[in-house]
Amino acid sequence: MSATTTPDARFADTTPLAASSAASSGSEPFPSGPVAIDDHSRAFSITSFVLGIASVVSGWTFFAPITGLVFGVLALRRNTRDRALALWGVWLNAIMLAVWVLAGSLAVAALGFGALAHLWAF
């Protein structure tokens, strides 16, 4: 090894050039940094809130409130910035789900009592 070249001088020119050319050419298929989860949790909280409002307004049955409830819980577990929307979505969907479960159980009870009364009459 000669006295004029040092190991640092040999590699100083190639390392920044290689790093900058790889970054500028777009050769990386995925971003190298962490992906922001907050974008997904914000979409989850908005979806939960919209499904809750739509369930209340249009009287959607079983599947929309369950889906909205799941999206709201996922948004809350991911520590979303839109916590108020997620909470409103969870509460609206839970209330609508409880209303439909109560209405369904009352309908089953009414049919059961009607069938029992019909059998007792004979």
Side-chain angles (χ1 to χ4, degrees), residues 50-60 65 91-93 95-96:
V50 168
L51 283 174
I53 292 291
S55 295
V56 169
V57 170
S58 65
W60 284 350
W91 282 109
L92 287 173
N93 288 307
I95 288 170
M96 285 306 295

Side-chain angles (χ1 to χ4, degrees), residues 19-72:
S20 66
S21 66
S24 64
S25 67
S27 63
E28 295 182 31
F30 300 105
S32 59
V35 177
I37 296 175
D38 192 45
D39 294 336
H40 297 295
S41 63
R42 184 166 191 234
F44 288 167
S45 63
I46 291 171
T47 303
S48 173
F49 181 68
V50 168
L51 283 174
I53 292 291
S55 295
V56 169
V57 170
S58 65
W60 284 350
T61 57
F62 198 63
F63 296 109
I66 286 179
T67 305
L69 193 64
V70 167
F71 277 124

Side-chain angles (χ1 to χ4, degrees), residues 11-23:
F11 296 113
D13 293 337
T14 59
T15 306
L17 180 62
S20 66
S21 66

